[in-house]
Amino acid sequence: MMTTTTTTMRLDSSFIAFQPTASTSSHRAARLPRRRSRNATARAAISNPNATPTERDEALDYYQRTQIPSSEFTETFHGPERYASVLLHAMRMQWKHGFTHVPSGFRRVTHGFGEILAGMQPAAAERCVELLLENFTSSEGEDDNTHNKESILDPFCGGGTVPVVAMTKNLIAYGTDVSPLALHVCGHRVWVPENVAKEETWLRERMRRIEEIIALEKEKDEEQTKKKGDERQDDNARSHKGGSFANIAAAAEKAILECESSDNTSSNNSNGVDSTTRKTALFFCLAEAERRHFVREKRNKRKKRFRKRRRAQSNSRNSDRDDSYYSPLRFYERCVDEYIFRVKDLHDAVGGKANVIVRKGDARFDDLVPKDKIGTISGILTSPPYPGVYDYVSFARKQRSRFRVGSLVTTKKEEEENKNEGGFLSPTSYYINAEVPNSNELDERGNRKQWSADFSSANEFGSKRELRKDPRAFNDKWLASQTQWLANAYKTLKPSGRMLVMIGDGANVNALRSTVDVAERVGFERLASCSLAVVRTVESTGTVYNGARKEHLILFQK
């Protein structure tokens, strides 16, 4: 079944779209002799090769279930069925499972670790990468020569889902972003140390030193409290038990500075990126631990409203266990252990070699890849900012302010090594190195001290802040920015290269129409597209059950 016109349909559970007949399947097999069956594609997806048979069955079952349309969504597609069916399959994965978790049975590696505003579902990204590269020879089983490998670019890499998926597919991955927080999260998710055992040892040694520092601080506080004879001695001891996140952040900074002062050239032989990333990883895990601790506290408060109170005896019997296991320090320890495990899993998945470059850059103006790679990229998979929906840089400033420590400045030696290796700093350094301005401090002109240029909202386009600032001019600015980044992406792709764009409506902007119009003007050809919207069901109270925006997935070719 082929169609070249846009078709809108209201789906119900009895209608199954895109199920080809035997004749259609054979015709497709004759036209595409190298294309694998759907079940084979599912087994070759991001499933963990070390998974149990049950987990593999769960991954295959999830893969097949998301091929069937759901009554929850209204689906629209344009273009040949061979493309539209894959796009709809990827979008159903995105909407049914979200982006913060990996479906059961699929390999997690570093996906979902660290907080980011929005992202792409790893299973959906895997499906999209297969579609992008179906015109090119598969790189699986080839040698390690990077010249023979295909490459994937994400100019709005965010949390790094696309680069990580590309790495696990034995592809060369490139990613850029303007948000320091996005670079911070992405840099830690794609981190594959040269010597993973050594970096694990370093992280665990610093973790033990952090515990020692917190224990010493606790003893000092207890001694001071006894000398003063404070009546709130028990309350202070309980508040310090396990350390607060502020104490952990200060202890982590102290532990890192101690290590830098004691390390010498012979003992600290990690490359520039590894020596920087392992330090920032301590704060990366701290932010994730604080987020998880906050979620647990919020969930417990909600539960207490609807459950009966426990007896005082039960509370007293379980208080010590709860305080120790769910204390900030224990949360932090578990996050560090989990991150080490995930990095090792990614290291095994990519064979210990990471062909990935993530760097700071504006997709509108800066080179998206090294200059010698412009015009050679096989495919682009990205999700640009939705018009007037998020403030990514503002969110980055908010998250950075939560760290109660000063800047962790990269040493000159590390800067030189980073520049020699990739021509830029480690992506994790922009976020941690930033100095958080004190609201009480004034600059030389008597104005409030500002954030560094890396955290300026002027670096992003299509932000909610820009919409509020000038609603009338927003649409024109949006179209101008779309033209700039799409033209930049066009020159980056090699001939016949493909690009997949996931974007949603916002600010009364039809993102599908505007993106297609601009892309065709700069030279792209639209092969297919699909759109999903949640069926707006009204409850008996009159409230809308789900008012999610309409999202689109568009396939272009150069």
Side-chain angles (χ1 to χ4, degrees):
M1 181 180 67
M2 300 287 290
T3 179
T4 57
T5 59
T6 305
T7 305
T8 306
M9 63 186 73
R10 174 68 176 269
L11 302 174
D12 54 56
S13 57
S14 62
F15 180 78
I16 301 179
F18 310 129
Q19 297 297 324
T21 61
S23 60
T24 305
S25 300
S26 60
H27 175 65
R28 181 185 303 164
R31 186 171 64 249
L32 297 172
R34 290 183 301 177
R35 189 168 184 178
R36 296 172 292 184
S37 66
R38 290 182 176 180
N39 289 347
T41 303
R43 294 189 183 98
I46 55 176
S47 300
N48 188 347
N50 299 323
T52 63
T54 302
E55 291 175 334
R56 291 194 183 96
D57 291 341
E58 290 176 352
L60 182 59
D61 178 65
Y62 172 81
Y63 191 91
Q64 293 174 337
R65 280 189 291 107
T66 49
Q67 290 179 325
I68 303 175
S70 171
S71 59
E72 300 174 359
F73 310 138
T74 300
E75 299 181 354
T76 307
F77 73 93
H78 169 92
E81 181 269 339
R82 55 174 293 206
Y83 297 140
S85 60
V86 178
L87 299 182
L88 285 170
H89 188 197
M91 286 295 286
R92 294 186 196 114
M93 289 179 174
Q94 179 75 19
W95 279 46
K96 282 180 173 293
H97 207 85
F99 71 93
T100 56
H101 302 285
V102 179
S104 178
F106 287 76
R107 193 162 191 168
R108 294 178 67 190
V109 288
T110 53
H111 290 304
F113 195 95
E115 186 175 11
I116 201 74
L117 266 180
M120 194 176 295
Q121 165 58 234
E126 166 77 15
R127 198 74 175 97
C128 291
V129 168
E130 293 176 355
L131 181 60
L132 286 174
L133 300 181
E134 72 173 11
N135 281 348
F136 304 106
T137 304
S138 175
S139 61
E140 295 181 5
E142 294 182 357
D143 57 20
D144 293 333
N145 189 350
T146 57
H147 296 289
N148 298 328
K149 292 184 178 181
E150 305 298 343
S151 53
I152 294 292
L153 163 68
D154 187 352
F156 305 95
C157 62
T161 298
V162 173
V164 172
V165 168
M167 292 165 62
T168 57
K169 295 286 289 182
N170 196 29
L171 304 170
I172 304 173
Y174 297 96
T176 62
D177 210 296
V178 296
S179 169
L181 175 61
L183 294 169
H184 178 68
V185 176
C186 181
H188 287 102
R189 288 186 183 178
V190 303
W191 185 36
V192 180
E194 289 184 357
N195 189 334
V196 67
K198 177 185 176 183
E199 304 305 333
E200 177 184 2
T201 301
W202 189 92
L203 288 172
R204 295 195 184 281
E205 288 178 351
R206 292 305 94 197
M207 189 66 232
R208 286 193 291 269
R209 180 54 185 157
I210 290 171
E211 294 177 352
E212 293 174 359
I213 293 173
I214 291 177
L216 291 174
E217 294 294 332
K218 178 183 176 182
E219 292 178 0
K220 291 180 181 179
D221 289 348
E222 290 177 350
E223 291 179 359
Q224 293 178 358
T225 302
K226 290 179 180 179
K227 291 180 180 180
K228 294 180 180 179
D230 196 339
E231 296 178 355
R232 297 173 298 176
Q233 177 178 346
D234 295 337
D235 293 338
N236 290 338
R238 278 194 297 268
S239 64
H240 210 308
K241 186 173 183 177
S244 65
F245 286 106
N247 294 335
I248 296 173
E253 186 178 31
K254 186 175 181 180
I256 292 173
L257 293 176
E258 289 179 356
C259 181
E260 289 181 345
S261 61
S262 61
D263 277 352
N264 51 47
T265 306
S266 60
S267 62
N268 185 21
N269 54 5
S270 296
N271 61 52
V273 173
D274 286 351
S275 62
T276 300
T277 307
R278 68 183 184 184
K279 291 187 295 185
T280 57
L282 291 173
F283 295 100
F284 178 60
C285 295
L286 178 62
E288 178 67 6
E290 187 171 9
R291 183 191 68 82
R292 295 182 183 184
H293 188 270
F294 173 79
V295 170
R296 180 185 179 277
E297 292 294 321
K298 187 176 180 179
R299 183 173 62 248
N300 286 348
K301 289 181 181 179
R302 186 167 59 249
K303 286 182 178 179
K304 288 179 181 179
R305 296 178 184 177
F306 305 103
R307 70 183 180 185
K308 296 180 180 180
R309 292 186 178 181
R310 294 179 178 178
R311 292 178 298 179
Q313 182 179 0
S314 176
N315 286 337
S316 61
R317 183 172 62 250
N318 297 329
S319 60
D320 292 339
R321 184 191 63 187
D322 294 342
D323 287 347
S324 61
Y325 185 79
Y326 295 112
S327 66
L329 185 58
R330 298 285 86 81
F331 261 92
Y332 183 45
E333 287 179 349
R334 290 194 292 273
C335 279
V336 172
D337 289 339
E338 180 183 342
Y339 180 65
I340 292 173
F341 173 80
R342 296 234 201 159
V343 169
K344 293 168 68 176
D345 190 23
L346 179 62
H347 184 275
D348 295 340
V350 302
K353 296 181 180 179
N355 294 316
V356 57
I357 295 179
V358 177
R359 60 180 179 179
K360 183 178 181 294
D362 192 325
R364 297 170 293 176
F365 313 117
D366 300 329
D367 291 336
L368 303 178
V369 295
K371 292 187 181 295
D372 60 331
K373 299 298 181 182
I374 295 177
T376 66
I377 302 303
S378 307
I380 296 177
L381 175 58
T382 190
S383 181
Y386 295 7
V389 176
Y390 294 117
D391 289 319
Y392 289 101
V393 178
S394 177
F395 181 73
R397 291 195 298 266
K398 177 182 177 182
Q399 294 299 100
R400 181 62 184 88
S401 300
R402 292 170 58 188
F403 284 119
R404 305 160 185 87
V405 295
S407 59
L408 186 66
V409 180
T410 308
T411 63
K412 292 184 179 180
K413 178 184 175 182
E414 290 170 346
E415 291 182 1
E416 292 176 357
E417 290 178 349
N418 288 333
K419 291 179 180 179
N420 291 334
E421 292 167 9
F424 50 90
L425 291 176
S426 170
T428 64
S429 62
Y430 296 99
Y431 185 72
I432 296 297
N433 286 357
E435 183 178 355
V436 180
N438 191 332
S439 58
N440 298 324
E441 293 183 2
L442 302 178
D443 58 16
E444 297 176 354
R445 299 181 180 180
N447 300 323
R448 289 181 57 185
K449 205 168 183 181
Q450 300 295 319
W451 286 81
S452 64
D454 293 333
F455 284 81
S456 174
S457 296
N459 296 333
E460 62 177 332
F461 73 91
S463 64
K464 191 174 182 180
R465 180 190 184 99
E466 187 178 5
L467 175 64
R468 292 194 302 264
K469 186 177 180 180
D470 193 351
R472 295 183 178 180
F474 179 81
N475 192 39
D476 294 337
K477 292 181 179 179
W478 165 259
L479 291 176
S481 298
Q482 285 276 83
T483 303
Q484 290 169 330
W485 87 259
L486 284 169
N488 202 7
Y490 183 84
K491 74 175 185 180
T492 305
L493 278 175
K494 67 181 181 181
S496 300
R498 291 179 176 178
M499 177 176 68
L500 267 170
V501 178
M502 182 182 291
I503 193 168
D505 295 341
N508 295 323
V509 175
N510 187 324
L512 173 63
R513 184 172 63 243
S514 63
T515 303
V516 171
D517 291 346
V518 172
E520 290 178 344
R521 282 202 300 268
V522 301
F524 282 107
E525 174 192 1
R526 176 169 66 153
L527 297 181
S529 63
C530 76
S531 303
L532 257 69
V534 173
V535 177
R536 298 170 66 89
T537 57
V538 181
E539 297 178 342
S540 58
T541 57
T543 58
V544 177
Y545 171 70
N546 196 329
R549 65 182 55 83
K550 195 172 187 179
E551 288 188 332
H552 319 278
L553 187 57
I554 317 167
L555 175 63
F556 297 102
Q557 182 166 307
K558 182 174 180 179

